[in-house]
Amino acid sequence: MLSLRPLLPVLLAVALLGPAEASAAAQADGIETARTGRQIAPGIRLESYDRLESDRWLRIDELLVDLGGGAGVRAEYLGGHGPATVAEAAARHAAGPGRRVVAAVNGDFFDIRGTGAPLGPGLAVGRLLHSATPGPGAAPAVGFGADGLGRVLRIALDGSVTLPGGAVRPLAGYNAARPPAEGLAAYTADWPAAQLPAVGTAVTVRDGRVTAAAPPVRSPARRERPAPGTTVLAAVGAAAAAELAALRPGDAVAVAARALPDAGPVPVAAVGGREALVVAGVPQDHDGEPNNTAAPRTAVGFSRDGRRLRILTVDGRQRDSGGLTLTALGRLMHRLGAYEALNLDGGGSSTLLAGLSGATALALENSPSDGRLRPVSNGLVLTAPAGSGEAAGYRVEPVGGTTQDLTRVFPRLTRTLTATGYDALLGPAPGAPVWSAGGAGTVDSAGVFHAVHPGRATAYARRTTAHGALPHGELPLEVLGPLTRIRPTRARIGLAEQGESAGFRLTGYDAQGAAAVVEPRDVALEFDRSRWRVTADGHGGFTVTALVPQATGRLVATVREGGAAAAAGAVGAPGAGSGLTAELALGVGLVTLPVTDLADVADWTGPGASAAGGHSGAGVALDLPVAKAQGSAAPPRPLPVPELARSLTLWVGGDGSGARPAVELADADGAAVTVRGPAVDWTGWRELTLPLPATAEPPFSVTRLSAVGGTGPGRLTLDTLGARTPPTGPAAAPVVRDPIVVTGAGVRARPWRFAVGGGDAAADFVLTGADRAQFVHRGVRFLPLDTTRPTLGGGGLDRMRALHEALAAAARDPATGALAVVRADAPDTVDRKETALTAHLLAEFRRTTGKRAAVLTLGAPAFAAGRSEGVLSVAAPRTGRTLVGVDAFAPGDWLAVRHDAHDTP
C-alpha cells in the first residue's frame, strides 16, 4: 500500500517553514513529513505522523493521555478471556457505570504457539490475574495506581500453598502461561486462555477443600478453564507431585496469591511487557540483544511524575513503514518526553484503536503488519466519563473519509456527507441535523452537497429547537474547475472465483490536474449484468462481484451530464448521460500464464546452479552439498510477473532431502520478497503453488530461483515457472495531450528558453543533469536533485531537505515566480512515496504562495508532459531534443514544451 498522510488535511512539517522551525522538523536522524491530530476525549489526544529516516519510512500513532487532570481518564487491563483482537476485547470491555471505552492498545507478549496466555504479570481492579512465566520472580510491567497515575515497575508473585497438617509450600506460578520448571502452580477462573497448559498431577480445590483427588498420571493433560470459585492445583517435579498425589477429597488446602511490586503500592491495573526502553530519563541501548531488530512496535511511556501517559505504535515490515529497533524506539520515546518507558508486544500484534467524536465504536489507527488484526492475549484500555448525550456539536465529514480527494467536488456533481453528533465529552449524541451550506454549492436535507461553481464552500450541520439554532459542525469543501477527464483507481479487476469481490473508485481531474472522487450517484455504468454485480460500496466507490466462475468483460463508467440532478433511477443505470467515460477490464477465474520455461537456462547464473533436464524441457539444478547449504540461479534479467497474479506455480524435481525451494522477487518499489515452498520430502516431479503475499506491492519481477538444504546434502531441479492470474484482457490506456505541448513557434514565442538533451541557438542554457547547485534564472529557481542514492539509503532524506530549503527560498523571494525540480530518471532509486511526497510539497507551495512549480525529469524512457494539482511535469528522453519556453509570471501555463525526436530544427 502507498500511504501518505499529506493527502489528509494536515500540517506538513517540511513545508514552508522558517529556519528555526526547520531545525526542529529536520532532526539529525530524519524529518517529519506529515501530521494529523484529534481529541479523543477530554484528557486524551491522538497524534499520527509520518517520518522519513535515512533508511526507512515510518508511520507512528501516539496517544497522549493526562492521567492526573480532572478529565477522569483511567487505564485498565483489557482482555483476559483467551486470545482476541483488540477490537473484539474493547467492544466487550465493561467500562462501568457512567463510563465509556475511548481507546485501546495491545499489551503483553504471549505464548503464541501454546496456550495463547500472556507471559508477564497482569492485574485488574487491584487483583492479581496472572503471574509472569517462568517462575514467581519479578517481571517488568506498566502499572496504574488508585490515583490513576502510572509507572513502569516489576511485579513478582507472593504465593503459597498450605497443605493438610500445616506444611506451607511456595507457589511457583499463578495462572502462568507455562508451568514452572518445578513446584506447585495454581489456575483459577481468571486464567487468561481457553485451556490450561498440559500438566500432570493436579487436584481441584473449592472453598479450601480438595474436591477431586489427583488421577493416575499417564500423560500430561490439558484441562478447561476452572469454574468460578475453583482452583486447579498442579504439580511439576517428583516431590510436588508426590504431595498432591497424597491428597484426598475433603482435605484442607489453602492457596494464596498476591502481586508483589518492587516498590510502591500494588497497582490497581497492570500489564506485562519486556524490554526497558527508557530508565530514569536515559534511553537504553539494546545493541546485540535478540529482539533489537527493526519491527512493528508498541511502547508505553510516562512522565517523571506519572501524570502523562504516552502510548505509541510504530508500523513495520511494510514499504511505507520499516519499523524500529528497540534502541531506536527508546531514543524516540525519550525524545518525546518519556522518563520511563517499556516495550510491549510488537510485530503483527501491534494494534492501536481510538474513538472518533460521537462514535460508539473505536477506529483502527495503525496498519498491522499481518494485514489484519491479530488475536492477542491482553492489552490496555482507556476509559473516560460518559457524557450527557446532549449534542454539543457535529462531526461532519464526507462518506468514505476525510482525504483531500473527498473534500473536493466538481461543478454540477455531488458529495455525500455525514454528521455525527457528540456531547460535551465527545461521546455519542444521537439526533439528525439540519443541513445548510455557504459558498460554491448547496446541501439538501439528506446531507448531499451539490456543487454549483468553482470556489470554496462550507457545509453546516446544525441542531435546531424552538429556541433556534444550537450546536453545529462544519466542513470546508473545495469545488474544483470543470471536470476534464476521469480514470478508475484500478484499470483492471481480476477475481479468482465466483462470489469474490473487489472495489474501485473513480477519480476525476480538472484542467490543472486537481483530483477528486466522483461518487456513484453521478455515474452511469455499462457492463454484463449476467456476469457481474456492481454496487455502490457506501464509501464513495464501487464493489464488483463475480456472478460466474469464469469470464472476461469490460465496465464502462460515464459521468452523467449535470451529475445526479440530471438522471433519476438506480445507481449504475446505463444511458443516463453522454459525459466523460472510463473503462475497466474485468476477469474471473484463474489461468496459468507463463513466466519462464527456462529455455534460456544456459544464461542463468548462481552458486550451485547448472542446466539440467526439466519436467517438460530445460530445467535448472541446484546442488546443495551439505546440510543447510544455499543455492540459487538468477535469470539474465528480472522476469515480469503478471500484475494481477495471485500465486506462482513451479515444477520441482525432488530427491526427498528436505530442501526448501523458493522464488525470490522484487516488488513495485524494488523491495525484496521471497515466497518459499515446502520441504521437499518426495522424489520425482511435483508442481507447487506458491501464494504471493497480499501485503507486498505488485507488480513483481522474479530475480532468482533458490533453495536451502535440509538436514543433509540434496539436489533440486526446478522448471516452468508460471503465474495463476485472472484473465482480464488489456486495460484501456487513454492518451491525454497536455496543453503545454506546443509547436516550435509556440516555444519560441516565450520570453526565454532552455533546452534538454542538446543545444539550441534559441536556448539560454542546456540542462544536462550534471548540475548540482541550485540556481535562479529569470524568475525561475532550478533545483537539481542528485538521484544516484536510493530513497532509503540517505538519498531521500537529503533530497527532501534540499527541497524544503528551495521551497522556503522561493517563497521568500519576490523576484522568484517558479520553482523547477530537476532530476534524472531513476525509478530504481527514487521510490514512489518520495515521488508522491515531492509532488505534494510542490502542490502545497503552489497553493499557499500562488507561485508556479514543475518537475523536470531527464533521461526518461520516453517524452511525456502533464500536470497534477497544477504542478507541471516534463519527462525528457535521452534521445532527441526538448526545448522549453518559459515565462514565470505569465497568466496561464508558464511553460511551453516541444520535443523533437530526431533533433530537427
Side-chain angles (χ1 to χ4, degrees), residues 110 145 200 227 351 595 611 638 726 744 781:
F110 59 100
T351 308
V595 176
R781 182 175 293 271

Side-chain angles (χ1 to χ4, degrees), residues 765-783:
F765 59 85
V766 177
L767 280 178
T768 65
D771 314 270
R772 285 295 177 264
Q774 62 177 290
F775 62 95
V776 178
H777 185 83
R778 300 182 69 174
V780 181
R781 182 175 293 271
F782 288 85
L783 174 65

Side-chain angles (χ1 to χ4, degrees), residues 46 128 139 189 259 314 355 420 545 550 578 588 701 777 867 869 903:
L46 174 71
L128 178 67
V314 181
T420 305
T545 303
Q550 195 88 27
S578 57
V588 59
S701 57
H777 185 83
R867 69 190 69 206
E869 302 294 334
D903 289 330

Side-chain angles (χ1 to χ4, degrees), residues 279-308:
V279 177
V282 179
Q284 301 300 290
D285 185 352
H286 291 274
D287 288 351
E289 297 179 8
N291 194 27
N292 195 37
T293 58
R297 297 291 183 185
T298 302
V300 174
F302 301 98
S303 60
R304 187 167 189 169
D305 60 4
R307 294 171 61 91
R308 300 290 184 267

Side-chain angles (χ1 to χ4, degrees), residues 614-683:
H615 174 256
S616 59
V620 61
L622 298 179
D623 287 301
L624 309 165
V626 295
K628 306 301 180 183
Q630 298 185 8
S632 66
R637 65 192 59 83
L639 305 172
V641 175
E643 185 170 2
L644 299 182
R646 298 295 186 89
S647 60
L648 300 176
T649 59
L650 179 67
W651 280 94
V652 177
D655 61 352
S657 66
R660 294 189 65 186
V663 180
E664 300 181 30
L665 311 109
D667 73 1
D669 290 318
V673 177
T674 301
V675 291
R676 303 186 187 280
V680 177
D681 57 2
W682 67 88
T683 57

Side-chain angles (χ1 to χ4, degrees), residues 738-760:
D738 194 274
I740 65 172
V741 180
V742 298
T743 64
V747 172
R748 289 178 172 83
R750 295 300 176 109
W752 66 275
R753 290 150 297 283
F754 66 88
V756 180
D760 191 290

Side-chain angles (χ1 to χ4, degrees), residues 774 781-783 801-811 819 845:
Q774 62 177 290
R781 182 175 293 271
F782 288 85
L783 174 65
R801 286 175 172 157
L803 177 58
H804 159 69
E805 293 171 0
L807 288 169
L819 173 70
F845 166 79

